[in-house]
Amino acid sequence: MNTTLVRNADVYAPEALGRRDLLLGGGKVLWIGTDAPDLPAAFGAETVDLGGHRLLPGLVDGHVHVTGGGGEAGFASRVPAPMLSRYTRSGVTTVVGLLGTDDVARGTRELVAQVNALREEGLSAYGLAGGYHLPPATLTGSVRADLAFIDCLIGVGELAISDHRSSQPTLEELLRVASEAHVAGLMTGKAGIVHLHLGDGPRGLDLVRRALDESELPARVFNPTHVNRRKALFEEAIELARRGCTIDITAFPVAKGEDAWSAADALVRYLDSGAPRGRVTISSDAGGCLPCFDAQGRVSSMDVGHSGALLETLRELLARGVPLEDASPAFTGNVADLLRLPSKGRIAAGADADLVALDDDGAVAHVFAGGRLHLRDGAVVRHGTFEKMDPQDNRSN
């Protein structure tokens, strides 16, 4: 069993525990305490001294286009799949992959294959069945069977509403797919959520409010994302969080004067609102196209999401004086709770050994995924299968 002794860590679990040592083995945190045990030489344990760096759970990115997104401006606009270290350089140790606008040329088979590839490379990876449109893209012919029989699929998404690219789902159609996801979650212990892409449409979250008012489905099933893309939409989302939904903020770029909140602004507003602190998460939309459309619905410009936006947001929050124990759950424990991943998102004996150490400037110094070092002293030590063939391999996020 590969064992590592992590010494002199300033642990945020996410609560501040102070200086601690940790023993990692078999992909788990085996022990955490203030006085590291003397290990027999036969253990062959490696020692990593963090020198007092802050240690927090590995970031859980709940919205990632692991196969690449895009496609709104033709086949040449399809975004390539991000490689392993694109995640780990950013402190991300768990990803949830999904399909977006293009759920035809890219499908569930490719998604499942890429999720499994990331698992083989040492990351924790999961996926969502379906995509923007209804009927949902599936492998088995139904959402419920996909979640029941395909291990890595844990929910549905990103299903688009209030967007000109959506399939314009009706309330009845939304309730049907949500009930499939919910029942599959009950059968399997999986998340069973419907991750809802929110566009710029004026209907906003009306469809979700109606679903809560007119059905017996629990609010936790409905998980709207991109809720900070319009300021009024964000206020709607906060009210849904009060009703039991978990809302997802996207760490996308926001221009000065734009009718949107940056991820850092949105989280601060959420925390100040008094809404339940466990019902907000932040994701990156990594690998996804971030398009702007003209009045005719054509792409006028585009950007690409990246997992590094999570760490940039966390660093901004810390610079603004938000305590790490208040900021980090939106990137870690809250996501894990929503996704029903009890061994993720916190540091404790028995939890998965997914850990991120931040240096004094808030940059990633070390990353452990499943107890194995992927980043050491800021340098990648574990690469994806094809990264050595990529001439941009050493370019940072």
Side-chain angles (χ1 to χ4, degrees):
M1 179 173 66
N2 179 62
T3 54
T4 303
L5 183 62
V6 179
R7 306 207 57 175
N8 297 314
D10 184 12
V11 175
Y12 288 81
E15 65 275 11
L17 299 183
R19 194 67 65 95
R20 294 288 189 274
D21 300 330
L22 301 90
L23 181 63
L24 316 181
K28 297 288 185 179
V29 177
L30 300 178
W31 172 88
I32 179 170
T34 56
D35 189 12
D38 292 325
L39 299 176
F43 268 61
E46 179 183 10
T47 297
V48 178
D49 194 325
L50 299 188
H53 285 164
R54 291 165 292 179
L55 188 71
L56 60 150
L59 306 189
V60 182
D61 196 344
H63 185 118
V64 179
H65 293 273
V66 296
T67 62
E72 291 96 335
F75 292 121
S77 67
R78 298 198 308 160
V79 180
M83 293 189 183
L84 175 67
S85 71
R86 292 283 173 171
Y87 304 116
T88 54
R89 287 173 182 165
S90 306
V92 172
T93 57
T94 301
V95 298
V96 179
L98 41 71
L99 301 174
T101 309
D102 181 4
D103 47 15
V104 176
R106 285 179 164 136
T108 311
R109 285 183 175 85
E110 184 181 2
L111 176 71
V112 170
Q114 184 62 15
V115 164
N116 285 328
L118 290 172
R119 288 181 169 190
E120 290 172 7
E121 292 178 336
L123 212 64
S124 292
Y126 304 88
L128 302 181
Y132 263 35
H133 307 107
L134 294 177
T138 65
L139 272 180
T140 64
S142 81
V143 163
R144 188 154 37 121
D146 270 15
L147 270 60
F149 297 116
I150 302 174
D151 173 66
C152 67
L153 297 182
I154 60 175
V156 179
E158 58 176 311
L159 176 62
I161 60 173
S162 299
D163 193 300
H164 64 94
R165 294 165 291 175
S166 78
S167 53
Q168 308 303 314
T170 64
L171 176 61
E172 181 179 351
E173 289 173 325
L174 175 61
L175 291 178
R176 179 63 56 85
V177 72
S179 67
E180 290 273 295
H182 173 56
V183 172
L186 295 177
M187 292 170 58
T188 61
K190 295 179 179 180
I193 59 168
V194 179
H195 189 63
L196 292 164
H197 163 100
L198 265 294
D200 291 323
R203 288 178 291 176
L205 285 158
D206 178 64
L207 198 58
V208 181
R209 286 193 296 272
R210 291 171 60 198
L212 298 184
D213 291 340
E214 300 179 32
S215 80
E216 297 77 28
L217 291 169
R220 72 165 303 277
V221 173
F222 301 97
N223 175 222
T225 188
H226 312 322
V227 296
N228 52 315
R229 70 184 312 147
R230 289 191 297 109
K231 293 178 179 178
L233 178 66
F234 190 65
E235 296 306 311
E236 290 184 63
I238 290 176
E239 291 309 308
L240 282 184
R242 297 184 196 278
R243 295 185 65 176
C245 295
T246 296
I247 64 171
D248 186 51
I249 296 165
T250 306
F252 45 47
V254 174
K256 185 177 181 181
E258 186 178 350
D259 179 26
W261 294 117
S262 71
D265 284 338
L267 184 62
V268 169
R269 293 182 70 84
Y270 185 91
L271 296 176
D272 288 345
S273 75
R277 292 194 167 208
R279 294 188 188 141
V280 62
T281 63
I282 300 178
S283 65
S284 72
D285 212 350
C289 177
L290 307 178
C292 293
F293 296 93
D294 62 21
Q296 285 72 47
R298 295 173 298 195
V299 174
S300 56
S301 64
M302 68 173 66
D303 199 350
V304 176
H306 61 98
S307 285
L310 295 184
L311 187 64
E312 291 168 7
T313 300
L314 181 58
R315 293 176 75 175
E316 181 179 348
L317 289 163
L318 297 178
R320 290 167 62 165
V322 179
L324 183 55
E325 56 266 43
D326 291 338
S328 64
F331 306 86
T332 57
N334 291 358
V335 198
D337 289 345
L338 171 69
L339 299 177
R340 291 179 171 165
L341 302 175
S343 62
K344 304 291 185 186
R346 48 192 46 85
I347 299 176
D352 287 351
D354 298 335
L355 307 167
V356 177
L358 303 180
D359 66 19
D360 294 340
D361 296 323
V364 173
H366 306 274
V367 173
F368 295 87
R372 294 183 177 273
L373 268 171
H374 281 245
L375 215 74
R376 185 166 195 163
D377 295 321
V380 176
V381 296
R382 190 178 177 94
H383 292 84
T385 306
F386 293 100
E387 287 191 77
K388 291 297 186 180
M389 302 178 189
D390 184 354
Q392 298 184 10
D393 172 46
N394 292 316
R395 189 177 67 182
S396 68
N397 282 326

